[in-house]
Amino acid sequence: MYSQGLIGADSRTEETPEFLEAFQKRIDAEEKIEPNDPMPEGYRKTLVRQIGQHAHSEIVGMLPEGNWITRAPSLRRKAALLAKVQDEGGHGLYLYCAAETLGVTRKQMTEELLSGKAKYSSIFNYPTLTWADIGAIGWLVDGAAIMNQIPLCRCSYGPYARAMIRVCKEESFHQRQGYELMMSLAQGTEEQKAMAQDALNRWWWPSVMMFGPHDSESQHSDQSMAWKIKRFSNDELRQKFITATVPQAQYLGLSIPDPDLTFNEETQMWEHGPIDWNEFWRVVKGQGPVSRDRVKARKTAWNDGAWVREAALAHAEKRKTRKMAAE
Amino acid sequence: MALPDALLELADDHLVLGHRLSEWCGHAPMLEEDLAMPNMALDLIGTARSLYTRAGELEGKGRTEDDLAYFRGERDYRNILLVERPNNDFAQTMLRQLYFAAFMEPYWQAALDSTDDVVRGVAGKAVKEVAYHIRHAGEWVIRLGDGTEESAERMQEAVLDLHPYTGELFDEGSVEGEGALPSRAAMHGAWEATMKDIFAQALLDWPEELGQMRGGRTGQHGEQLGHMLAEMQSLARAHPGAVW
């Protein structure tokens, strides 16, 4: 039927009904799938796409926050932001390595990002206009990311699940750091408070949209759930995020820009008003306020750095030749 | 010169170079360098913070690290010209880093015997960090110097551009004899040995005769420092007295 090649595996796996059934049994028994295990091509492809997107999001995500490193208003904040953006780069590296266990290279994935073939989280196609955006990103964007990512620590694919354990620890630190930054602003001067409210106004809806389309509209969900790549639906995670975040905003004395936000006494959950899905799809399709700038910045860094990477390879080659000649 | 002023010079060197490195974040030639450069920047900014705080304490006017970093203009900054040079390309950035680290490593070694507790503490941490900076930047200087034709040209160009700024590293202040800070001039031998060793591996010529540029220690900076500080200080200065 269908077959696939796997890195390090010289045999090809026939996707017979028996094979698919045995694979699903392993998943259902909560066994971890490891790089050299036979797996359906669809499973591999889904993971390559998802881990790749996740890695790209970390890399592109360095740009909006990096925009404020040189203007951070205190040395403590400057160091914290620099360390945070560095963490994001580290996550990217970690995730590219996890994806490489599935037979793609970092170079291939990078080229797909630069050509626009591979996607990354749309949230990074919004600009960071003030310092408060740095707080809002930590609090809301990393907060939403954690909701998505905690269940991934139990993902059926071993390397991804293990990578996510470390990523989540760092993200949860970033989320607290972002909230602490918002707190300083909320307790600061009138101008600082206004800055915090403005950032919440701009980042709230894009953060809520980070969980993706409603369950009824989600393309990849059912199979991912069966394979235990995904454990909760988009709407479940979104609901959790909103319920966790509303009291945090109240504590800061900031108001959530959703006039229809209501508390459901029965479920003990905060429920949001209608989401502007036109905006969501517009940004997903590359028409976010700074979509072109983001990809362009990545291309520029990649192209400007080409001579450095070539020199490193040339030098390594020279060393090898000299070493061989000496032996 | 009093010790607080001497500490300020040292702190400015570290903050300005750390800031320059941080400008690369997210735009490096490869992901590994997007991690390595912020790492070095964090070391330098961390050192600057301790030194500013100590300078403020000793000065006794209640100035904090942020007052000193954000509310002094370019005529008051006392960093050497080398560290404020723009990043230009990766070859220049790595060479600038190496020139500075190769000086700071023996300097912090000597400062381990400082009569000032804080300086000793800073030295104990920084000496390990700059040893790594020498290794990292030095490996890049070697790779680029002995890489492709283009990288070798860029590296040679970086030497011509930056070497004239290295003499200022060794200019003495006036507190060196008092035991809190080491003599700068005394670092020349160790610095030159490190640099020449790396230059030999990088197939770079050691420039013997290049005029020396000075002025940072007296507030006579290049044009670029003003731009850097304008950016760095803009938000803090727009909200004087605000707590972040």
Side-chain angles (χ1 to χ4, degrees):
Chain A
M1 286 197 327
Y2 312 102
S3 60
Q4 59 150 350
L6 262 179
I7 197 168
D10 47 16
S11 62
R12 292 167 83 81
T13 308
E14 285 278 314
E15 293 190 13
T16 58
E18 294 76 29
F19 165 73
L20 291 175
E21 196 183 323
F23 182 79
Q24 191 60 47
K25 257 192 180 144
R26 291 192 62 194
I27 300 271
D28 294 342
E30 297 288 336
E31 274 182 53
K32 288 279 178 264
I33 308 301
E34 296 298 337
N36 289 328
D37 294 348
M39 61 183 86
E41 179 62 7
Y43 179 83
R44 192 188 73 86
K45 275 194 170 154
T46 301
L47 280 163
V48 166
R49 182 179 52 79
Q50 184 172 333
I51 303 174
Q53 274 185 15
H54 190 166
H56 298 326
S57 302
E58 301 281 359
I59 300 306
V60 177
M62 295 173 81
L63 298 169
E65 292 180 279
N67 182 39
W68 281 90
I69 289 173
T70 54
R71 289 176 290 170
S74 73
L75 294 181
R76 181 173 83 91
R77 292 290 182 197
K78 190 184 188 71
L81 182 57
L82 198 46
K84 189 201 166 185
V85 177
Q86 187 198 29
D87 280 352
E88 311 293 1
H91 297 170
L93 187 56
Y94 221 53
L95 289 163
Y96 282 131
C97 292
E100 282 184 322
T101 64
L102 291 160
V104 281
T105 65
R106 200 207 305 182
K107 189 161 177 280
Q108 282 171 327
M109 288 184 275
T110 303
E111 281 161 2
E112 288 188 357
L113 170 67
L114 300 183
S115 74
K117 192 179 161 210
K119 296 270 179 270
Y120 55 88
S121 178
S122 290
I123 194 81
F124 301 118
N125 289 327
Y126 292 89
T128 48
L129 301 180
T130 75
W131 173 250
D133 291 26
I134 300 306
I137 289 181
W139 172 36
L140 301 173
V141 175
D142 292 336
I146 294 166
M147 288 293 171
N148 265 324
Q149 291 172 4
I150 293 278
L152 289 173
C153 299
R154 294 189 292 130
C155 162
S156 60
Y157 188 57
Y160 192 28
R162 289 188 289 272
M164 289 316 297
I165 291 172
R166 175 174 163 171
V167 170
C168 283
K169 279 184 190 163
E170 293 182 352
E171 292 295 357
S172 116
F173 180 69
H174 297 163
Q175 198 264 348
R176 277 176 284 158
Q177 206 171 42
Y179 189 68
E180 189 259 344
L181 197 162
M182 289 304 268
M183 184 111 71
S184 311
L185 297 176
Q187 293 170 353
T189 64
E190 285 308 311
E191 278 173 307
Q192 285 176 306
K193 277 182 214 164
M195 206 187 267
Q197 182 63 56
D198 169 59
L200 174 56
N201 292 348
R202 283 180 292 110
W203 289 94
W204 174 255
W205 286 109
S207 301
V208 167
M209 292 181 207
M210 276 177 75
F211 296 92
H214 283 310
D215 296 348
S216 51
E217 311 275 323
S218 182
Q219 283 179 31
H220 304 291
S221 280
D222 292 348
Q223 184 60 70
S224 285
M225 291 276 226
W227 277 333
K228 299 198 176 172
I229 294 172
K230 202 175 165 145
R231 300 226 173 214
F232 297 99
S233 77
N234 293 355
D235 286 328
E236 282 170 329
L237 291 167
R238 184 172 9 247
Q239 191 55 63
K240 268 191 183 181
F241 168 73
I242 290 176
T243 300
T245 309
V246 171
Q248 294 171 355
Q250 288 171 336
Y251 185 79
L252 293 174
L254 299 177
S255 48
I256 301 234
D258 178 356
D260 300 321
L261 191 71
T262 42
F263 189 69
N264 182 327
E265 289 292 346
E266 207 170 303
T267 59
Q268 294 289 300
M269 293 275 198
W270 283 93
E271 289 171 358
H272 61 82
I275 295 174
D276 180 359
W277 293 110
N278 288 333
E279 151 124 358
F280 174 79
W281 289 114
R282 200 165 55 238
V283 180
V284 167
K285 286 175 182 148
Q287 290 163 46
V290 292
S291 305
R292 286 187 66 80
D293 291 352
R294 295 291 186 237
V295 175
K296 209 166 229 174
R298 288 312 309 157
K299 273 188 196 160
T300 304
W302 184 250
N303 294 338
D304 288 356
W307 70 272
V308 177
R309 298 189 303 275
E310 282 158 18
L313 284 176
H315 180 74
E317 205 51 48
K318 283 182 186 178
R319 282 215 156 160
K320 209 162 79 186
T321 313
R322 279 178 213 145
K323 201 176 161 216
M324 276 161 63
E327 274 165 5
Chain B
M1 186 194 293
L3 183 56
D5 295 320
L7 291 174
L8 221 45
E9 291 183 351
L10 206 49
D12 288 346
D13 286 348
H14 283 77
L15 177 59
V16 170
L17 187 58
H19 184 98
R20 280 288 185 231
L21 276 179
S22 79
E23 292 171 349
W24 273 103
C25 191
H27 308 279
M30 64 194 71
L31 187 45
E32 283 77 359
E33 285 307 305
D34 261 328
L35 306 182
M37 286 193 279
N39 222 54
M40 294 192 287
L42 280 166
D43 290 342
L44 295 168
I45 292 168
T47 301
R49 293 182 63 190
S50 306
L51 295 170
Y52 281 133
T53 302
R54 184 61 174 155
E57 276 167 19
L58 291 172
E59 184 192 54
K61 294 182 192 161
R63 290 202 286 181
T64 64
E65 57 174 24
D66 290 331
D67 294 330
L68 291 167
Y70 288 92
F71 292 91
R72 284 183 307 134
E74 54 264 49
R75 301 282 287 133
D76 297 320
Y77 260 70
R78 288 291 180 265
N79 58 279
I80 54 170
L81 301 177
L82 174 71
V83 295
E84 74 189 50
R85 299 304 302 157
N87 291 334
N88 293 325
D89 66 14
F90 190 69
Q92 304 236 349
T93 299
M94 285 299 122
L95 183 64
R96 185 185 61 196
Q97 199 64 30
L98 180 63
Y99 278 140
F100 185 71
F103 170 83
M104 287 312 303
E105 203 267 341
Y107 185 90
W108 288 128
Q109 280 290 352
L112 292 171
D113 298 324
S114 168
T115 52
D116 186 277
D117 287 350
V118 175
V119 171
R120 268 204 314 280
V122 170
K125 186 162 178 283
V127 78
K128 293 178 218 142
E129 294 168 349
V130 286
Y132 166 77
H133 301 178
I134 293 177
R135 200 176 117 197
H136 189 78
E139 281 174 1
W140 271 115
V141 168
I142 294 167
R143 273 186 212 115
L144 299 177
D146 182 22
T148 60
E149 203 175 311
E150 180 181 4
S151 71
E153 269 173 32
R154 284 176 184 263
M155 207 64 239
Q156 199 63 61
E157 175 90 1
V159 174
L160 292 176
D161 286 347
L162 294 173
H163 205 82
Y165 295 98
T166 55
E168 201 177 16
L169 282 165
F170 308 98
D171 290 350
E172 298 283 24
S174 55
V175 294
E176 284 82 3
E178 294 164 21
L181 292 172
S183 156
R184 289 175 182 147
M187 303 305 145
H188 195 269
W191 176 82
E192 198 171 276
T194 305
M195 291 305 307
K196 283 189 168 171
D197 174 44
I198 291 169
F199 269 41
Q201 295 179 64
L203 313 180
L204 290 167
D205 297 326
W206 182 254
E208 292 300 340
E209 284 302 322
L210 285 177
Q212 287 295 331
M213 310 292 285
R214 295 193 148 72
R217 295 288 189 226
T218 52
Q220 304 282 339
H221 292 281
E223 290 175 344
Q224 295 89 348
L225 182 70
H227 291 275
M228 194 200 103
L229 294 181
E231 182 176 349
M232 186 181 96
Q233 298 175 337
S234 58
L235 179 59
R237 287 189 180 221
H239 303 267
V243 177
W244 301 96

